[in-house]
Amino acid sequence: MTPDVASNARKSMPALHRASEPDVLKPLLERAALTPDSRERTLGHAAGLLADLRAAQGKGWVNQFLQEYRLNSSEGVALLSLAEAFLRVPDPETADLLIADKLGDADWRAHTGKSNSGLVNTATWGLVVGRALVGEGEKPSALRRLISRAGEPFVRQAVGAAMRMMGEIFVMGRTIDEAMKRMKKPEHKGFTASFDMLGEAARTQDDAARYFRAYIDAVAAVGRDPSAGHSISVKLSALHPRYEVARWDECVPALTEMLEALAVQAAGLGIALTVDAEESERLEMSLDIIGTVAGLPSLQGWDGFGMAVQAYGKRARPVVAWAGELGRTMNVRLVKGAYWDSEIKRTQVEGLADYPLFTRKAATDVSYLAVARDMLDAPAIRPAFASHNALTVATIMEWAGNSRDFEFQRLHGMGDGLYERLVRENGYHCRVYAPVGGHRDLLAYLVRRLLENGANSSFVHQLADERLTEAEILADPVAKIAAVGGARHPSIPLPVDLFGDGRRNSAGLDLADRAVLERTVAAVSFSGEGRSPGSQAVSPATLDPGLRRGTEEAIGRAQAAFSGWSSTPVEARAACLDRLADLLETHRDELMAICVQEAFKTIPDALGEVREAVDFCRYYAQQARDGLQPVELPGPTGERNVLRFDGRGVWATIAPWNFPLAIFLGQTVAALVAGNTVVAKPAPQTPHIAARAVELAHAAGVPTDALILVPGGPDVGAALTADPRIAGVAFTGSTATAKKIARSLLADDNRPIVPLIAETGGINAMIVNSTALPEQVVADVVTSAFRSAGQRCSALRLLLLQEEIAETTIEMLKGAMDTLRVGDPADPATDVGPVIDRAAYDRLMGYREGARIEKTLDVPSEGLLVPPTLVRIDSIDALSQEWFGPVLHVATWPAGKLAETIRAVNAKGYGLTMGLHSRIARAAEETEALAAVGNLYVNRSMIGAVVGSQPFGGEGLSGTGPKAGGPHYLHRFVAERAVSVDTTSAGGNATLLSLDEGGI
């Protein structure tokens, strides 16, 4: 069956993707339930398996080491963090800092002599010595003084050896030949392997080509001995750097072609090949690719093709049903899931309706059992059950009866003891999922696998907890979920409830859903034939003439309206903001379309723009209700003291073009809810989006004279700020303009001193040391520097790489830049759209002509498309100003000079955003202490501040504060007035006289 022939199973998937957890679980509970008799037999089998597992835990230093240093202990976390980063650190100085950071605080002495393994106890003493060598507290220990600096290379070598030893636990071999040789050892007798060439995701085309070649070579190597029964697992994300729905038309055909080549090769050699599972957002793409390859005539008669299905996904059951309808035998590997935490976070960040997966571990177990039962009953599916859970294994054995026409699977390095007796004495099949690759490549994989299988709710963790009884470990997941009615986990709120009862989170769109994306594209596409993106500016003259008010008239009307609006109760003003937020969501498509067409925003950026505006409205409404009510203050008896917060008068809000809706409304509604009237000036490039926002604000209940739009250029802004009737100014834009405004506010000696809230730009730097994961660094750099065509105040301008990793990181960054698409912002595949106008284009292109360009891209000649550009500079001092566009500068810094590097960035005088990528906690602490910036981002991108979570704003040349979207912002818009009343002046304090202890 080809993917264009829609099956009933495929049709049912969209409805389940964001369905409520209880609704999805109801049929699964029925399918996963055991009868009382089968439950008793299953528990008997499970108890035997549990005994085998516990016996294996006492054998071998690996199991005992992992049991001693559990993931929920500070020592376990320290070892995991060290393993994740140590082997990729090239320089000894940073390696020593990393060791000191991870070993220095943990209590290794508490573990001495506790294990039954002499090797584990010896390793523990090594950790104790290592901690002593890297320092305990401020003063050197006696041991450190004794061994002195000569000990540090020793510790470094010992730690490196230990990390490689940990690598060998979880990785079958550095090469496919080494892995196949290891599978012949006695401990693997009776087991087969599915080899996975390590590569979580390609960042560049070179990465994808290298991984594809590794798979080709692995298939060839395994195919030399097909009788061994080994197979290959393939990750599609390793074969394309842009495996995402927005690039569907590009990546799906390319991946289909590569998967076909691998499948034809495997079929010709008589070995099996399985496509691994990916994040839920890629499921539909994966099914298209797998379905097409499954239907190829050249593969008919080959029963070695397969796919993995993740049981924690709400669509797992119909995915398996779909696999059974492909018109061929399909190998299906059922796993519990690999991306749970990232899927939860993505759903929350994007404000989606519900989670694509189950929020309780027991619910995933229920789903796994229900789907497993379907697989056992499906004639066209050859099942493989990947699990380390004794109860899950025993349940499958119960349902399968005497059949052995399926296999179990486990991860290499985990689940020892569970399957040995089943394989060698009872005739069951078990396949080891065996990662292959260099130890440096395995670390991200290793950490994720340990986190998956070491969580408190996991079977592996419970097995190691000696406080849990057998009954607790083998508790029925069906009973657990039935007891709570299938309800979502109480600690994981729906995205809409992420911020609690105070306000609703803004609603997002699932742009990873192809149907949603296509509908959104149709809603925001450019109107008018022949118009190229960025080819024409929008003139304020095209606005309704009624909106083009003279500034003097507008200020006069706003001043006249002030008394009525400021006396409106805070609750009523806040209610207007809530209604405005709802209207913004109602008109989301229209507002996104204007953002795309007028401000040249890409579709994700346009969506983010509307969501941020909604969040500003709801957040400031909540802040006003909570923080602008009169406050009773303490004082002596007979006196009443109250602090009131009143509007100041007429505010001028002057907004930029780069956030023409979010910042325009954020500044404006903050002033309004504080009791002020507002004359709002949008940027001359983006008046239409502001005009529509004002119309909606009026529809939400804001009086027409309390909020007046005055479109225009710098002359209008200058007239506004110079008018003595203006009681305050909120401005976002360039530092130079902010300074002009500040001077104009002080030019008239007779004018009252009025507040200025200014948010300006910055020379924003990201500092990267050699412990950072290069793939993560590059992804965050590309996002921070080039998203929104670099036209964000917070955008990355200066990348500072530690010298030892600079060249390799730059090469990866160049490859990632090659995957960027520059063009029409209404095209969902576009990453970088036009800059805002011809002046910006000419300024940036002129700068590029004299720059030392390390990397740039070819872009279409039409439109205001500035190529993403990487510029090499010799030092931090070589960059003296902000270049507001897709231009990133890169320089290096020497190991051990973090503090000096931060101070050099501070010396620029800007203070908006800074980023740090490092696995050393003390480096983050040092950066936090020294960085003179409003927003510091550690191990993530530097853009996309969330209202209420990441208040945004800078210092120095980057702004005045207070921070937008923060708890102190509204108070800058109000006049604080204290009222003290002597209540004794009317004859005494009757309340005091009435106390039992008082009186004559």
Side-chain angles (χ1 to χ4, degrees):
M1 178 182 130
T2 57
D4 58 318
V5 181
S7 67
N8 290 330
R10 188 86 182 255
K11 288 178 180 178
S12 71
M13 292 180 199
L16 287 173
H17 189 37
R18 304 288 176 188
S20 72
E21 209 155 328
D23 291 345
V24 179
L25 281 168
K26 186 176 180 180
L28 299 179
L29 285 165
E30 297 174 5
R31 185 64 168 155
L34 289 160
T35 65
D37 287 346
S38 61
R39 170 73 180 161
E40 185 175 348
R41 288 192 299 271
T42 298
L43 284 175
H45 286 306
L49 295 172
L50 194 60
D52 288 345
L53 273 166
R54 283 181 160 163
Q57 296 296 304
K59 296 178 182 178
W61 74 271
V62 170
N63 286 322
Q64 294 183 42
F65 190 85
L66 293 176
Q67 190 171 13
E68 181 65 31
Y69 297 105
R70 297 176 188 171
L71 190 59
N72 64 340
S73 69
S74 60
E75 293 79 22
V77 171
L79 283 175
L80 193 65
S81 301
L82 188 60
E84 193 273 337
F86 183 79
L87 293 182
R88 66 170 171 264
V89 178
D91 59 295
E93 187 163 6
T94 307
D96 290 343
L97 290 173
L98 180 67
I99 294 169
D101 189 69
K102 303 309 176 190
L103 300 190
D105 292 333
D107 185 10
W108 306 107
R109 290 182 184 275
H111 295 268
T112 55
K114 295 293 183 67
S115 176
N116 295 325
S117 166
L119 190 56
V120 171
N121 288 330
T122 299
T124 297
W125 274 111
L127 293 168
V128 171
V129 171
R131 181 172 188 243
L133 287 171
V134 298
E136 294 177 285
E138 294 296 324
K139 296 181 180 180
S141 66
L143 183 57
R144 182 171 181 174
R145 288 195 300 270
L146 176 65
I147 303 179
S148 189
R149 292 287 295 183
E152 291 189 358
F154 163 74
V155 173
R156 199 182 310 129
Q157 292 170 13
V159 168
M163 295 304 102
R164 290 181 179 87
M165 194 175 297
M166 285 187 69
E168 291 177 5
I169 299 170
F170 298 100
V171 173
M172 186 63 75
R174 288 165 293 184
T175 66
I176 186 65
D177 290 332
E178 184 179 300
M180 292 176 64
K181 183 178 179 181
R182 190 172 177 186
M183 275 302 297
K184 295 178 180 179
K185 291 188 175 182
E187 63 264 30
H188 296 126
K189 181 181 178 183
F191 289 79
T192 54
S194 182
F195 297 112
D196 177 18
M197 311 309 294
L198 281 174
E200 288 297 287
R203 296 291 180 200
T204 69
Q205 292 291 357
D206 286 346
D207 286 343
R210 185 170 64 255
Y211 290 139
F212 182 63
R213 173 51 56 189
Y215 283 129
I216 289 284
D217 292 346
V219 171
V222 172
R224 288 197 293 268
D225 184 14
S227 63
H230 301 318
S231 63
I232 296 294
S233 292
V234 174
K235 264 192 170 33
L236 296 178
S237 57
L239 298 178
H240 200 286
R242 301 302 300 271
Y243 183 34
E244 54 201 63
V245 172
R247 295 287 189 91
W248 188 299
D249 294 339
E250 170 190 340
C251 68
V252 168
L255 285 167
T256 301
E257 183 179 341
M258 285 187 278
L259 183 61
E260 177 184 351
L262 291 170
V264 168
Q265 181 193 15
L269 295 172
I271 66 170
L273 182 145
T274 299
V275 180
D276 264 344
E278 304 275 5
E279 298 92 335
S280 66
E281 64 199 80
R282 291 167 165 162
L283 177 62
E284 291 288 339
M285 287 191 295
S286 296
L287 297 186
D288 264 17
I289 295 165
I290 292 167
T292 299
V293 173
L296 291 172
S298 58
L299 297 179
Q300 295 304 308
W302 173 56
D303 290 341
F305 191 47
M307 62 183 291
V309 177
Q310 302 189 104
Y312 71 10
K314 291 175 178 175
R315 297 173 289 182
R317 200 175 184 195
V319 169
V320 167
W322 172 85
E325 297 172 352
L326 291 175
R328 61 174 299 128
T329 298
M330 283 289 289
N331 300 323
V332 177
R333 173 196 297 148
L334 185 62
V335 301
K336 296 204 172 171
Y339 305 95
W340 186 85
D341 53 344
S342 60
E343 298 263 19
I344 291 287
K345 181 176 181 180
R346 174 182 173 266
T347 304
Q348 292 177 342
V349 167
E350 297 188 6
L352 304 180
D354 208 326
Y355 298 101
L357 40 74
F358 302 108
T359 58
R360 294 178 187 262
K361 179 65 170 65
T364 292
D365 290 341
V366 168
S367 173
Y368 190 97
L369 292 173
V371 175
R373 198 167 189 177
D374 289 349
M375 289 167 61
L376 288 169
D377 291 345
I381 285 178
R382 183 178 295 150
F385 302 109
S387 178
H388 303 137
N389 187 312
L391 181 62
T392 300
V393 171
T395 303
I396 291 168
M397 290 167 59
E398 169 68 18
W399 284 334
N402 294 324
S403 172
R404 299 294 186 272
D405 193 20
F406 64 94
E407 68 181 32
F408 291 112
Q409 294 192 3
R410 68 170 178 86
L411 291 171
H412 172 57
M414 306 196 84
D416 290 343
L418 179 58
Y419 292 111
E420 279 75 3
R421 189 192 302 270
L422 296 180
V423 168
R424 293 165 187 163
E425 299 179 16
N426 298 317
Y428 288 95
H429 305 284
C430 184
R431 188 176 299 274
V432 178
Y433 188 84
V436 178
H439 293 150
R440 285 166 54 104
D441 299 325
L442 69 88
L443 297 174
Y445 165 90
L446 165 64
V447 169
R448 196 183 80 229
R449 290 302 188 198
L450 288 177
L451 287 170
E452 287 168 21
N453 293 279
N456 289 350
S457 59
S458 77
F459 181 84
V460 172
H461 179 86
Q462 291 177 343
L463 181 68
D465 192 340
E466 297 173 355
R467 297 169 298 178
L468 294 178
T469 65
E470 180 179 292
E472 289 173 314
I473 294 175
L474 300 179
D476 184 6
V478 173
K480 285 182 181 180
I481 296 304
V484 298
R488 180 175 25 84
H489 197 290
S491 297
I492 304 177
L494 287 175
V496 70
D497 300 320
L498 186 61
F499 300 110
D501 296 333
R503 67 180 173 105
R504 284 183 290 139
N505 189 14
S506 57
L509 290 171
D510 190 359
L511 298 179
D513 182 319
R514 196 182 192 192
V516 173
L517 181 62
E518 288 175 348
R519 184 199 62 75
T520 304
V521 170
V524 306
S525 293
F526 282 93
S527 58
E529 295 182 4
R531 180 183 173 191
S532 62
S535 62
Q536 68 182 69
V538 181
S539 168
T542 63
L543 291 173
D544 182 337
L547 293 174
R548 292 185 279 115
R549 313 285 186 189
T551 55
E552 288 191 11
E553 175 198 349
I555 295 169
R557 289 174 51 220
Q559 188 177 41
F562 171 68
S563 177
W565 178 248
S566 65
S567 62
T568 301
V570 170
E571 177 57 46
R573 299 196 301 256
C576 287
L577 268 61
D578 283 333
R579 289 193 293 270
L580 175 55
D582 294 343
L583 285 171
L584 292 171
E585 290 192 327
T586 299
H587 294 272
R588 176 175 53 202
D589 286 356
E590 174 196 355
L591 295 169
M592 287 177 62
I594 302 174
C595 284
V596 170
Q597 297 181 32
E598 184 173 59
F600 313 130
K601 287 185 170 286
T602 61
I603 290 172
D605 283 349
L607 174 59
E609 180 90 11
V610 177
R611 290 193 64 207
E612 187 174 2
V614 171
D615 285 335
F616 272 133
C617 290
R618 290 183 181 145
Y619 179 73
Y620 290 143
Q622 175 199 20
Q623 289 291 305
R625 291 187 182 100
D626 296 344
L628 296 186
Q629 303 290 352
V631 178
E632 293 274 354
L633 301 174
T637 184
E639 185 174 286
R640 178 172 177 265
N641 297 292
V642 178
L643 181 65
R644 294 197 346 257
F645 305 99
D646 296 332
R648 288 177 172 272
V650 181
W651 274 71
T653 60
I654 303 174
W657 48 259
N658 61 334
F659 284 92
L661 179 66
I663 291 180
F664 174 81
L665 270 184
Q667 296 176 154
T668 299
V669 300
L672 286 169
V673 81
N676 305 284
T677 54
V678 177
V679 178
K681 192 197 89 65
Q685 298 92 336
T686 54
H688 290 89
I689 188 67
R692 189 66 180 111
V694 169
E695 289 175 355
L696 293 175
H698 292 158
V702 176
T704 55
D705 283 355
L707 170 58
I708 302 172
L709 185 74
V710 287
D715 55 333
V716 174
L720 272 177
T721 58
D723 195 302
R725 294 170 295 175
I726 292 295
V729 177
F731 167 79
T732 301
S734 72
T735 303
T737 303
K739 287 183 174 182
K740 288 180 182 177
I741 293 172
R743 288 192 294 269
S744 74
L745 296 178
L746 297 173
D748 185 350
D749 289 342
N750 296 319
R751 183 178 185 177
I753 299 172
V754 300
L756 167 64
I757 302 173
E759 179 188 310
T760 58
I763 298 179
N764 309 310
M766 179 187 289
I767 302 171
V768 181
N769 79 6
S770 61
T771 66
L773 183 65
E775 291 82 359
Q776 182 185 3
V777 169
V778 167
D780 289 342
V781 166
V782 169
T783 296
S784 302
F786 302 126
R787 185 169 172 177
S788 308
Q791 298 175 120
R792 294 187 185 222
C793 302
S794 57
L796 174 61
R797 310 295 180 199
L798 175 59
L799 176 61
L800 298 171
L801 299 171
Q802 188 180 318
E803 290 170 349
E804 288 78 3
I805 61 164
E807 297 310 316
T808 55
T809 305
I810 288 171
E811 283 306 306
M812 186 180 291
L813 176 57
K814 290 178 182 178
M817 289 174 65
D818 280 330
T819 72
L820 294 173
R821 187 173 295 181
V822 183
D824 183 349
D827 182 344
T830 293
D831 301 296
V832 181
V835 294
I836 191 62
D837 57 23
R838 173 62 60 178
Y841 176 85
D842 290 343
R843 184 165 54 251
L844 290 164
M845 296 301 285
Y847 172 66
R848 291 174 75 256
E849 288 181 6
R852 181 156 49 118
I853 294 177
E854 183 81 17
K855 173 69 179 180
T856 190
L857 303 179
D858 294 328
V859 301
S861 57
E862 292 186 3
L864 304 173
L865 300 172
V866 175
T869 305
L870 183 65
V871 175
R872 178 85 75 143
I873 58 176
D874 294 328
S875 69
I876 296 171
D877 292 339
L879 184 61
S880 58
Q881 70 178 82
E882 177 186 32
W883 291 96
F884 208 74
V887 178
L888 173 63
H889 303 81
V890 60
T892 62
W893 60 282
K897 299 295 183 181
L898 177 62
E900 292 87 341
T901 302
I902 296 169
R903 291 190 182 101
V905 174
N906 289 343
K908 293 292 178 186
Y910 293 90
L912 190 56
T913 64
M914 183 181 289
L916 173 73
H917 267 272
S918 173
R919 293 299 191 263
I920 301 176
R922 287 177 177 83
E925 293 166 1
E926 184 175 18
T927 305
E928 183 178 354
L930 295 176
V933 294
N935 291 76
L936 174 64
Y937 298 99
V938 179
N939 292 331
R940 52 151 290 172
S941 73
M942 290 169 52
I943 63 172
V946 177
V947 174
S949 295
Q950 297 143 3
F952 187 78
E955 56 194 71
L957 294 173
S958 295
T960 64
K963 298 169 82 63
H968 307 299
Y969 192 64
L970 290 187
H971 287 91
R972 187 63 169 156
F973 289 88
V974 299
E976 298 188 49
R977 292 165 177 163
V979 179
S980 298
V981 179
D982 182 0
T983 59
T984 65
S985 62
N989 186 345
T991 303
L992 183 62
L993 293 174
S994 68
L995 296 175
D996 290 342
E997 290 79 2
I1000 299 173

